Amino acid sequence: MTKGIILLAAGGTGGHLFPAEALAHELKARGWSVHLVTDSRAERFAGKFPADEIHVVPSATIGSKNPVKVVSSLWTLWKGLRAARRLMARLRPAAVIGFGGYPTLPPLLAATGMGIPSMIHEQNAVMGRANKALASRVKAIAGGFLPDSEGPYADKTVTTGNPVRPAVLAAAEVAYHPSVTDGEFRLVVFGGSQGAQFFSKAVPQAVCRLGEHKRTRLRITQQARPEDREGVEAIYAKLAVPAEVSPFFGDMAERLANAHLVICRSGASTVSELSVIGRPSVLVPYPYALDHDQAANAAALAARGGAKVIAQSELSPEKLSMIIGEAMKQPERMAEMAANAQKTGRPDAARLLAAMVEAIAGGQTVAEFKGERP
């Protein structure tokens, strides 16, 4: 017998789904039934998501200035809202929690319109567009990096941190051991599709510029788009650098735990996982983000000495090669960065967020929860 149903809504990218997945594990451990509303992009992540059911509701983003496309998007959203209302009426969830992305709009609009306790979680230091549209309607806001002492919604915001998956918590138990002189140096490189595209060019070119001795120490894990994979593998093969290159790694948490250095974008989930596990990183914020959220996320970790942040426009192959080379010969500095990163981690975020969900589902206000927070 479960306590009831909690409905989680998330866009179909890892950045939205991973924190939702972490919360789902915690809620199920507390006796709740968890359902997920998302879009078709989530299929590659769905196998590990501990949902009792996964629902796909029509949704669309209104980002075009073309009036025909705007009308089409509004019609899709209307269909999604009707479908979400039917879903709410059938499931009768105790609460609906949104994790950002346009697929959260229909279920959260339906929930708030029907008086169902609702909450959003914002992973980034700057609120995304979907969450901005919902912020005034929901009862509570949880933030990964959002401050709960300032801003228009401070009275209903709690800074919980970003919940991380059980695999990340397990990886956090692995101590960081810096690479010894002449020992292998494990480099992990990843990012979303745009990040993978940039790194597929920049990192192999940087490795080419390393001396032969340093190249013999390298062991690389690199995410690359399917269309870039063969070219990246060919360069590393020519350089005789052992490398695993793939569009997606299902065991990324374990690979991060074994890394001596990580080069990646600075999405909220990435920064949170790096800090919980505690690994030194070179963060390259996505330069075309509308709200510059990745730059703000990266700054939060860099301010504690846990990461080096470099703008993509400034990261030439020569500069990146120098950064990698210096990291390989400065194990003490890497160990210090790893320790600094882990000090910023919030491994208890899933527990705190689950407690907040239960409080909202039980009719508590945010002020009451803040007074009793675990």
Side-chain angles (χ1 to χ4, degrees):
M1 186 71 179
T2 66
K3 292 180 178 179
I5 292 174
I6 301 293
L7 186 63
L8 307 183
T13 64
H16 295 129
L17 280 168
F18 287 161
E21 177 190 330
L23 174 61
H25 281 287
E26 180 68 21
L27 288 172
K28 288 185 76 72
R30 293 173 179 233
W32 292 91
S33 173
V34 176
H35 288 231
L36 172 69
V37 180
T38 186
D39 62 26
S40 58
R41 295 176 299 166
E43 289 178 356
R44 66 174 176 169
F45 302 106
K48 291 187 176 181
F49 202 102
D52 295 293
E53 287 187 47
I54 296 177
H55 313 273
V56 176
V57 169
S59 188
T61 181
I62 306 175
S64 173
K65 294 182 179 179
N66 183 318
V68 175
K69 291 184 178 179
V70 170
V71 170
S72 176
S73 294
L74 288 172
W75 175 245
T76 301
L77 283 168
W78 171 246
K79 290 192 295 183
L81 181 58
R82 293 181 64 186
R85 284 173 176 163
R86 292 193 296 270
L87 183 64
M88 302 296 161
R90 178 169 67 85
L91 296 179
R92 298 184 180 278
V96 179
I97 318 300
F99 281 85
Y102 63 84
T104 64
L105 291 173
L108 267 295
L109 289 173
T112 55
M114 297 169 72
I116 299 170
S118 57
M119 184 173 94
I120 55 174
H121 179 274
E122 173 56 58
Q123 295 90 50
N124 293 292
V126 178
M127 194 174 286
R129 286 175 292 172
N131 278 345
K132 277 183 183 177
L134 295 166
S136 64
R137 301 175 62 95
V138 298
K139 292 185 178 296
I141 300 170
F145 294 99
L146 284 179
D148 54 15
S149 58
E150 59 186 59
Y153 305 111
D155 60 332
K156 60 178 177 181
T157 299
V158 176
T159 304
T160 59
N162 287 314
V164 297
R165 298 163 292 150
V168 175
L169 293 176
E173 299 296 319
V174 179
Y176 181 76
H177 296 291
S179 176
V180 297
T181 305
D182 296 332
E184 67 177 39
F185 188 91
R186 294 183 291 275
L187 177 67
V188 174
V189 183
F190 69 97
S193 59
Q194 295 296 324
Q197 180 183 22
F198 172 74
F199 293 140
S200 289
K201 295 179 180 178
V203 178
Q205 290 180 29
V207 172
C208 283
R209 288 164 169 78
L210 289 173
E212 184 178 354
H213 174 67
K214 286 188 172 69
R215 291 202 302 267
T216 61
R217 295 177 57 197
L218 275 178
R219 304 292 183 271
I220 299 176
T221 290
Q222 183 161 347
Q223 185 184 35
R225 301 182 307 168
E227 58 266 41
D228 297 330
R229 180 178 184 173
E230 188 175 329
V232 174
E233 289 178 328
I235 294 174
Y236 289 142
K238 185 176 181 180
L239 295 172
V241 173
E244 292 185 69
V245 183
S246 176
F248 180 73
F249 291 97
D251 60 345
M252 184 56 83
E254 292 85 346
R255 291 174 185 270
L256 290 177
N258 290 321
H260 291 116
L261 178 67
V262 180
I263 300 173
C264 58
R265 291 299 196 201
S266 52
S269 289
T270 296
V271 172
S272 297
E273 292 184 358
L274 281 172
S275 59
V276 169
I277 297 172
R279 294 298 178 266
S281 58
V282 176
L283 301 178
V284 187
Y286 180 57
Y288 308 113
L290 291 176
D291 300 312
H292 302 291
D293 53 339
Q294 289 206 4
N297 299 339
L301 185 55
R304 304 288 186 88
K308 183 179 181 67
V309 182
I310 303 180
Q312 181 173 307
S313 60
E314 299 175 4
L315 194 60
S316 65
E318 291 80 11
K319 187 167 186 176
L320 183 56
S321 181
M322 181 183 69
I323 291 170
I324 296 171
E326 288 180 349
M328 295 180 76
K329 63 183 182 183
Q330 296 178 339
E332 295 84 3
R333 186 169 71 89
M334 292 298 99
E336 183 180 1
M337 285 179 69
N340 289 339
Q342 196 159 46
K343 289 175 185 175
T344 72
R346 299 289 293 268
D348 64 337
R351 181 187 63 83
L352 181 57
L353 184 58
M356 189 175 175
V357 170
E358 290 186 319
I360 298 303
Q364 271 193 322
T365 66
V366 172
E368 290 170 334
F369 175 75
K370 284 183 175 181
E372 300 175 2
R373 77 169 70 178

